[in-house]
Amino acid sequence: MNRDNALFLAAGILVGFLLGYFLFESVAERQPPRLPMGAAAAAGGVPPAAGAPAAGAVEGPFMAQVRRLEERLRQNPEDADAVRQLSDLYVDAQAWEPATQGYARYLQLRPGDPDILSELGTALYQLGRYEEALQQFDLAQEIAPNHWESLFNRAVTLAFGLSRWDDALAVVEQLRSLRPDDASVQRLAEGIATRRGS
């Protein structure tokens, strides 16, 4: 390898690293935690798991939040708000397994929250665990009949996870009765019809 090739290779590696760094930073800043609470994993809290950002990952706002919440949970493993926020961060990072563990832990600390049951179901869906996801959506409906997110996610799981088209369309009709003018329900119905016909 001559000197020009070595310089070209080194420049390419440097440019790739810089592009990756700035992409990570811009995504992290555009996707803050959805719920302003507080959470990160630790003893008795949400354990870092496969898919979780590595401890030595590029420093940025996301990793700073994770570390802050992990420290908070080290000090108080029963901090349900911290568990929830960390789980939300894992969802933002599409780290579904630790998100699932976190939401399950939150429900141990504060049972019966239909929003978290729906979040847990969504994370299970992303892992391909469709029947388990449906169980969480059903639990949310038992606690809060017509809970919008769990009902909507139930329709998605029935259709796109399990190909149970008729069951999914029945849930879509229930969603329409709750919010007749909701555009997301119309898009869901169209998506189901498209997939069913293909």
Side-chain angles (χ1 to χ4, degrees), residues 7 20 27 32 41 43-44 47 52 62 76 83 87 89 93-94 111-113 119 131 156 166 169 197:
L7 287 173
V27 168
F62 176 86
N76 179 10
V83 171
S87 303
L89 285 172
Q94 298 184 358
D113 184 326
E119 291 289 345
E131 294 293 345
V156 169
D166 292 337
L169 289 173

Side-chain angles (χ1 to χ4, degrees), residues 88-130:
D88 291 341
L89 285 172
Y90 285 147
V91 168
D92 292 340
Q94 298 184 358
W96 304 113
E97 188 59 44
T100 299
Q101 294 171 17
Y103 289 133
R105 173 67 178 146
Y106 179 89
L107 289 165
Q108 290 174 341
L109 297 169
R110 291 188 186 159
D113 184 326
D115 292 333
I116 299 305
L117 287 164
S118 187
E119 291 289 345
L120 175 56
T122 300
L124 289 165
Y125 173 88
Q126 294 294 337
L127 291 169
R129 294 160 58 181
Y130 306 126

Side-chain angles (χ1 to χ4, degrees), residues 24 37 43 54 59-60 66 78 110 135 143 158 171 175 193 197:
F24 177 86
M37 283 182 234
E59 180 59 35
V66 168
E78 304 297 304
R110 291 188 186 159
Q135 290 172 4
I143 294 165
L158 287 167
V171 177
L175 289 165

Side-chain angles (χ1 to χ4, degrees), residues 40-43 46 69-77 79 82-83 86:
V46 184
L69 293 168
E70 287 172 345
E71 178 58 31
R72 191 168 148 186
L73 282 168
R74 270 190 285 282
Q75 294 174 14
N76 179 10
D79 186 339
V83 171
L86 181 63

Side-chain angles (χ1 to χ4, degrees), residues 158-160 162-170 172-173 188-198:
L158 287 167
F160 305 114
L162 296 169
S163 300
R164 289 170 46 188
W165 310 112
D166 292 337
D167 293 338
L169 289 173
V172 167
E173 288 310 309
L188 176 59
E190 290 168 1
I192 291 171
T194 300
R195 286 286 294 277
R196 184 180 198 178
S198 60

